[in-house]
Amino acid sequence: MVSLIALLVFATGAQAAPVASKAPAPQPTGSDLPPLPAAAPQPAAPAAASAGQQPATTTAPAADAPAASTADAVVDNAENAIAASDVATVHTYSLKELGAQSALKMQGAATLQGLQFGIPADQLVTSARLVVSGAMSPSLQPDSSAVTITLNEQFIGTLRPDPTHPTFGPLSFDINPIFFISGNRLNFSFASSSKGCTDPSNGLLWASVSEHSELQITTIPLPPRRQLSRLPQPFFDKNVKQKTVIPFVLAQTFDPEVLKATGILASWFGQQTDYRGVTFPVFSTIPQTGNAVVVGVADELPSALGRQSVNGPTLMEVANPSDPNGTVLLVTGRDRDEVITASKGIGFGSSTLPTASRMDVAPIDVGARVANDAPSFIPTNRPVRLGELVPDSSLQAEGYAPGALTVPFRVSPDLYTWRDRPYKLNIRFRSPPGPIVDVSRSSLNVGINDTYLEAYPLREPDSTLDQLLRGVGLGHRNDSVQQHTLPIPPYRIFGQNQLLFYFEMAAMAEPGCKPGPSTFHMGIDPNSTIDLSNAYHITQMPNLAFMASAGYPFTTYADLSRSAVVLPEHPNGMIVSAYLDLMGFMGATTWYPVSGVDVVSSDHVNDVADRNLIVLSTLANSGDVSQLLSNSAYQISDGRLHMALRSTLSGVWNLFQDPMSAISKTAPTEVESTLTGGVAAMVEAESPLASGRTVLALLSGDGQGLNNLVQILAQRKNQAKIQGDLVLAHGDDLTSYRSSPLYTVGTVPLWLKPDWYMHNHPSRVIVVGLFGCLLVVAVMVRALTKHAQRRRRELQEERQRT
């Protein structure tokens, strides 16, 4: 053991010595550390030059070490880490798994490519290796061109071109484990030159690193630190961009109060994981290894935890009885109300949790929410500054090809404007100082949700008068901030949105091969605004696309206080896991715990008749909830889901409600399924218990498909496939249908109701037009008849006088 400790301490202090070699045989892949990437790379160290035709590497100087505090922390934890576990785990990830969508290509206008990934705080890196493959342009000069590889600004190695062999690799570079921190940046920096005078933006000088290159990391666990203030660690680490798995253990029974408390916790974890995704497998006993969350009354906790003495709502972290490195979070109390209070202690008081492993939770008074006030939704009653949505640094760009600047935002998807009036995006941006030679090739391109909207020149051309004044020394070039107002069509705004700003710069090469500026700086003014204040909240349902993009209509109130979840009388672990996953999705959507949701069994639905309902069930247990779909075009009977028959009259009525349904190619003539083999269905319809309320049913024949169905909701790539009032899901294969009658959710002012009533309903316009014509004709007939009668009387009187 002493020799092993000495070896680790030596490894943490040694210099990096990368060696170019063929890649070794594949290493075993770990299962608990799949990091994913974050956003844009950070600047890397400049390329180092050395002689040689074949791709090679150079070593880093000993001074190139990370911050002293990081190094000290690693060395201090080394002995304890080895004492905690003598078993190391090797994790092998391709750059594609780290987030590279394709090969990392570098050229004169875009010389930097990189990825960000995290290391869990409870893991210590003991060794690492980078194995790279790729290609470099044959036009590159070997003695003055290179790709420099760095990790957290620390040098790893250099790739050099060989004009006779453009491809290279696999090449292996050992990485000093002391270079790793919690959040890491792996960068590839390209420096290029060629014979003659070449425009660096012409694309002839390039290098690429294959997305199949691999990063191999060996880790050992650190001793656990059980402090409530570290939550959501160790269950979730924000530096690790990956889907999170958090096991839940429910004490003996699945009663509504315990499920409500568990849902609050699941939504809080969903809020923390946000876009990464989270799933909650449910167990009746504590897992043999790893971490878990146990929720329940103290007297009903698993016996493996021993007898826990509590005096009220309590939070505590204890060791996993079967795994000393695992942590069990207990959320408990003397009764079920205290368990709910304890869960609110995390959901609403996580910022005040102590550094101790135990805390008694005081009652928390949570104020009532109002409609459309979710913290994640941007306000629709005022213009919103882009600086409120992202940090100012995210709106700055540098270089000839800086990539897209993104501004994500969320909004309730039920927005409606008078006659589809567009929203307004007020853009302010500053172009680089100094003259731009070709203004027509330098522009700011603006888009939303991967859709192009408009392009603006970085600087408006000078007028003739400005040029004359500047010629006599009386004028100056206008370098002020450019400002434009861009209309955004309402149909381009969904629940989850992303504004895109892309600066396209023209390189400034001067005569005689004199280089232009080495870089450009430009940016979007944080005071730029997006204005949705001309919108009202009203829409037609059912529309499962709204559920997928923003959890609508349930997230209209951030705490789900107008919603209830309906479960079978005795739900199994798969159904409860699907419920928790759905609450995690709601928390990630609103950034607020679901403290207002009620959980009821199928025989107590009438207790929540005035709420929006979410039904999770298997077809075998759906007898008590099948009547909740009576307003839909689908029925559940004999353990099968099938389309309900519609009469001719209902078809005519639907024609007036939605004339396009008569010719829709996606409208089914028949749907019938047992929903077995992992197949699940999501059905939405108007509640038969209350007008204007929604029933969302998530159904599966055997329960296996429910969890997959909920996970699909959180995957942005699948959201475009979720439409209509019925979605059948088998793995990633989704089929959408629309057959049920429409209904309206929301209200508009009285003056806007005629526009809403006629909107997208040509049949209504025709009926109203015909009625108006008949009314005009009736008035004219009556007026002409009276005129004729009066004229007749006048003629009769004249005859009598004569």
Side-chain angles (χ1 to χ4, degrees):
M1 177 62 73
V2 174
S3 61
L4 186 58
I5 295 175
L7 179 61
L8 178 62
V9 173
F10 172 78
T12 59
Q15 298 182 22
V19 179
S21 64
K22 291 295 181 183
Q27 298 292 331
T29 302
S31 60
D32 60 341
L33 181 63
L36 294 178
Q42 299 295 321
S50 64
Q53 295 288 330
Q54 299 295 329
T57 63
T58 58
T59 60
D64 289 342
S69 59
T70 304
D72 293 342
V74 173
V75 175
D76 292 342
N77 285 322
E79 183 172 349
N80 290 333
I82 296 175
S85 174
D86 293 333
V87 179
T89 305
V90 179
H91 316 267
T92 301
Y93 308 107
S94 67
L95 297 190
K96 186 173 184 178
E97 291 175 313
L98 296 182
Q101 301 298 321
S102 58
L104 301 179
K105 187 173 181 179
M106 297 149 281
Q107 56 186 6
T111 60
L112 182 66
Q113 291 282 0
L115 300 168
Q116 292 190 357
F117 64 95
I119 302 295
D122 58 355
Q123 296 286 322
L124 176 68
V125 178
T126 58
S127 64
R129 175 175 295 174
L130 178 66
V131 181
V132 295
S133 301
M136 304 180 77
S137 171
S139 301
L140 292 171
Q141 286 287 90
D143 57 347
S144 57
S145 302
V147 173
T148 302
I149 308 173
T150 61
L151 177 68
N152 300 322
E153 322 308 332
Q154 305 303 312
F155 176 73
I156 294 177
T158 302
L159 303 170
R160 294 209 175 272
D162 181 355
T164 62
H165 297 87
T167 61
F168 62 84
L171 299 175
S172 178
F173 300 90
D174 291 331
I175 304 176
N176 193 331
I178 203 172
F179 291 170
F180 287 88
I181 56 178
S182 56
N184 302 277
R185 300 186 302 272
L186 177 65
N187 280 343
F188 299 88
S189 180
F190 178 50
S192 62
S193 69
S194 65
K195 296 181 179 179
C197 178
T198 304
D199 183 355
S201 65
N202 63 9
L204 294 178
L205 308 181
W206 55 267
S208 67
V209 176
S210 171
E211 71 273 24
H212 301 296
S213 302
E214 292 183 340
L215 178 63
Q216 301 169 357
I217 305 175
T218 303
T219 65
I220 57 176
L222 290 168
R225 290 187 293 160
R226 299 189 176 98
Q227 299 172 342
L228 293 172
S229 60
R230 298 183 68 241
L231 287 173
Q233 293 183 4
F235 306 95
F236 164 68
D237 193 319
K238 293 185 177 181
N239 290 309
V240 180
K241 318 299 184 187
Q242 68 174 66
K243 183 177 180 179
T244 305
V245 179
I246 303 177
F248 269 75
V249 179
L250 300 188
Q252 297 185 5
T253 60
F254 296 126
D255 59 84
E257 289 82 3
V258 171
L259 286 176
K260 178 172 182 175
T262 311
I264 294 174
L265 294 172
S267 63
W268 181 79
F269 278 114
Q271 175 186 349
Q272 307 307 307
T273 57
D274 197 11
Y275 65 89
R276 302 171 184 86
V278 62
T279 185
F280 305 97
V282 174
F283 302 94
S284 57
T285 59
I286 299 174
Q288 292 296 309
T289 59
N291 308 313
V293 180
V294 179
V295 186
V297 178
D299 293 339
E300 299 174 354
L301 296 178
S303 58
L305 294 173
R307 181 73 175 180
Q308 300 293 333
S309 175
V310 299
N311 299 318
T314 304
L315 302 172
M316 67 176 76
E317 290 186 353
V318 299
N320 186 327
S322 304
D323 179 10
N325 288 322
T327 296
V328 175
L329 171 64
L330 299 182
V331 182
T332 186
R334 293 167 297 183
D335 56 38
R336 283 156 177 75
D337 289 338
E338 290 187 351
V339 174
I340 294 176
T341 300
S343 68
K344 290 181 179 179
I346 293 180
F348 297 97
S350 58
S351 60
T352 61
L353 292 175
T355 56
S357 61
R358 176 168 178 153
M359 173 186 178
D360 294 332
V361 180
I364 297 177
D365 184 17
V366 181
R369 307 296 296 188
V370 298
N372 306 302
D373 71 337
S376 64
F377 293 171
I378 67 172
T380 56
N381 58 353
R382 62 174 176 85
V384 179
R385 295 175 56 254
L386 300 189
E388 299 179 48
L389 306 178
V390 295
D392 292 358
S393 58
S394 298
L395 299 174
Q396 306 305 310
E398 178 179 320
Y400 289 102
L405 305 177
T406 60
V407 180
F409 68 94
R410 294 175 179 172
V411 69
S412 180
D414 60 339
L415 300 183
Y416 178 77
T417 64
W418 165 261
R419 302 190 65 182
D420 286 334
R421 290 294 191 268
Y423 308 121
K424 294 181 181 179
L425 177 63
N426 184 19
I427 310 170
R428 294 164 53 89
F429 62 92
R430 186 181 296 277
S431 58
I436 297 178
V437 174
D438 193 348
V439 177
S440 63
R441 292 175 54 205
S442 300
S443 61
L444 170 64
N445 299 277
V446 184
I448 187 170
N449 297 327
D450 298 325
T451 301
Y452 170 82
L453 292 178
E454 189 60 84
Y456 298 105
L458 291 190
R459 184 172 298 118
E460 297 290 347
D462 287 336
S463 66
T464 304
L465 178 60
D466 291 333
Q467 295 176 0
L468 291 175
L469 291 176
R470 201 166 57 249
V472 296
L474 298 178
H476 65 280
R477 188 170 182 88
N478 182 16
D479 290 330
S480 62
V481 172
Q482 303 292 311
Q483 182 170 337
H484 300 275
T485 299
L486 173 64
I488 303 178
Y491 57 83
R492 295 297 182 192
I493 300 289
F494 315 118
Q496 298 184 33
N497 306 275
Q498 192 172 63
L499 288 171
L500 303 172
F501 301 96
Y502 180 77
F503 285 98
E504 186 175 5
M505 298 295 300
M508 295 190 296
E510 298 184 11
C513 286
K514 182 180 179 181
S518 59
T519 187
F520 293 106
H521 296 271
M522 47 272 182
I524 305 296
D525 191 332
N527 290 319
S528 302
T529 61
I530 181 171
D531 188 358
L532 310 180
S533 59
N534 61 331
Y536 297 88
H537 292 277
I538 190 172
T539 190
Q540 282 192 322
M541 300 285 284
N543 191 338
L544 288 171
F546 291 170
M547 174 64 193
S549 64
Y552 183 86
F554 309 98
T555 55
T556 299
Y557 291 84
D559 59 354
L560 270 64
S561 56
R562 301 297 190 274
S563 303
V565 177
V566 183
L567 300 178
E569 185 69 26
H570 301 288
N572 58 35
M574 290 184 180
I575 294 178
V576 176
S577 178
Y579 156 71
L580 295 181
D581 287 357
L582 187 59
M583 295 302 101
F585 167 75
M586 296 297 186
T589 300
T590 62
W591 300 349
Y592 196 84
V594 294
S595 58
V597 71
D598 279 345
V599 180
V600 298
S601 58
S602 54
D603 56 347
H604 289 83
V605 173
N606 289 332
D607 296 340
V608 290
D610 61 335
R611 296 193 173 204
N612 296 310
L613 303 178
I614 302 175
V615 180
L616 292 97
S617 179
T618 61
L619 292 183
N621 297 324
S622 60
D624 294 335
V625 298
S626 58
Q627 70 273 13
L628 294 177
L629 298 179
S630 59
N631 283 341
S632 74
Y634 312 99
Q635 294 178 346
I636 302 173
S637 62
D638 302 326
R640 304 175 71 88
L641 174 70
H642 62 88
M643 182 176 176
L645 296 177
R646 293 185 295 176
S647 66
T648 304
L649 180 61
S650 66
V652 173
W653 173 248
N654 277 334
L655 179 62
F656 281 94
Q657 292 291 309
D658 184 9
M660 295 305 295
S661 64
I663 59 175
S664 174
K665 296 181 180 180
T666 61
T669 57
E670 182 178 357
V671 172
E672 186 170 350
S673 175
T674 58
L675 303 182
T676 56
V679 179
M682 183 162 48
V683 183
E684 191 171 67
E686 185 176 18
S687 173
L689 306 179
S691 176
R693 300 299 186 185
T694 298
V695 173
L696 174 70
L698 282 72
L699 306 170
S700 179
D702 48 19
Q704 294 180 359
L706 284 180
N707 184 267
N708 177 62
L709 187 62
V710 177
Q711 293 302 315
I712 286 175
L713 286 174
Q715 298 173 4
R716 189 178 180 89
K717 65 177 182 179
N718 291 321
Q719 289 180 358
K721 304 176 185 178
I722 300 177
Q723 304 287 336
D725 58 5
L726 169 65
V727 171
L728 295 179
H730 186 195
D732 285 337
D733 295 331
L734 302 176
T735 307
S736 299
Y737 303 90
R738 175 185 288 278
S739 296
S740 299
L742 299 177
Y743 60 98
T744 299
V745 176
T747 60
V748 292
L750 183 62
W751 64 268
L752 192 56
K753 286 186 177 181
D755 180 70
W756 166 254
Y757 186 79
M758 301 295 179
H759 182 72
N760 286 339
H761 290 87
S763 58
R764 294 180 180 178
V765 176
I766 293 173
V767 170
V768 172
L770 291 176
F771 179 77
C773 290
L774 292 175
L775 182 61
V776 171
V777 170
V779 172
M780 292 183 65
V781 168
R782 184 174 178 84
L784 291 175
T785 301
K786 287 185 176 181
H787 178 74
Q789 291 174 350
R790 185 175 66 253
R791 185 63 179 154
R792 182 180 180 183
R793 286 196 303 267
E794 290 176 353
L795 290 174
Q796 289 177 349
E797 291 176 356
E798 288 181 2
R799 288 173 185 167
Q800 290 176 357
R801 285 196 297 267
T802 60

